[in-house]
């Protein structure tokens, strides 16, 4: 989060967008267009999918020391 956003944590990013999330179902119920807009406006990504894909790549690189 710190590398690609201005937020210290994922929850901080959610809270900044006004998204109240306390469980997986809450997260899944966030309207995709609103979430993508929040990400585009407050991160270095265009949308959630791009952010998620980058997180996966970062995780694999860190885990396997690439």
């Amino acid at each position: 989060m710190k590398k690609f956003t201005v937020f210290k944590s994922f929850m901080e990013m959610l809270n900044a967008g006004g998204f109240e999330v306390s469980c997986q179902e809450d997260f899944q119920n966030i309207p995709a267009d609103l979430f993508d807009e929040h990400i585009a406006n407050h991160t270095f990504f265009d949308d959630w999918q791009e952010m998620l894909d980058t997180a996966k790549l970062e995780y694999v690189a860190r885990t396997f020391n690439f």
Side-chain angles (χ1 to χ4, degrees):
M1 289 300 294
K2 293 176 189 176
K3 185 174 179 180
F4 296 103
T5 77
V6 298
F7 304 107
K8 294 178 184 174
S9 70
F10 189 69
M11 286 304 295
E12 183 180 335
M13 185 185 78
L14 291 172
N15 290 335
F19 305 111
E20 294 185 29
V21 176
S22 60
C23 64
Q24 182 68 27
E25 185 178 357
D26 290 345
F27 180 72
Q28 291 173 329
N29 288 331
I30 296 173
D33 58 335
L34 294 179
F35 197 51
D36 284 342
E37 181 179 340
H38 177 62
I39 289 171
N41 290 332
H42 300 285
T43 74
F44 298 106
F45 304 103
D46 292 328
D47 57 33
W48 170 237
Q49 189 61 55
E50 183 182 1
M51 186 175 181
L52 187 59
D53 291 345
T54 300
K56 290 175 188 177
L57 291 173
E58 288 285 317
Y59 175 79
V60 169
R62 194 172 53 248
T63 300
F64 296 104
N65 296 315
F66 290 150

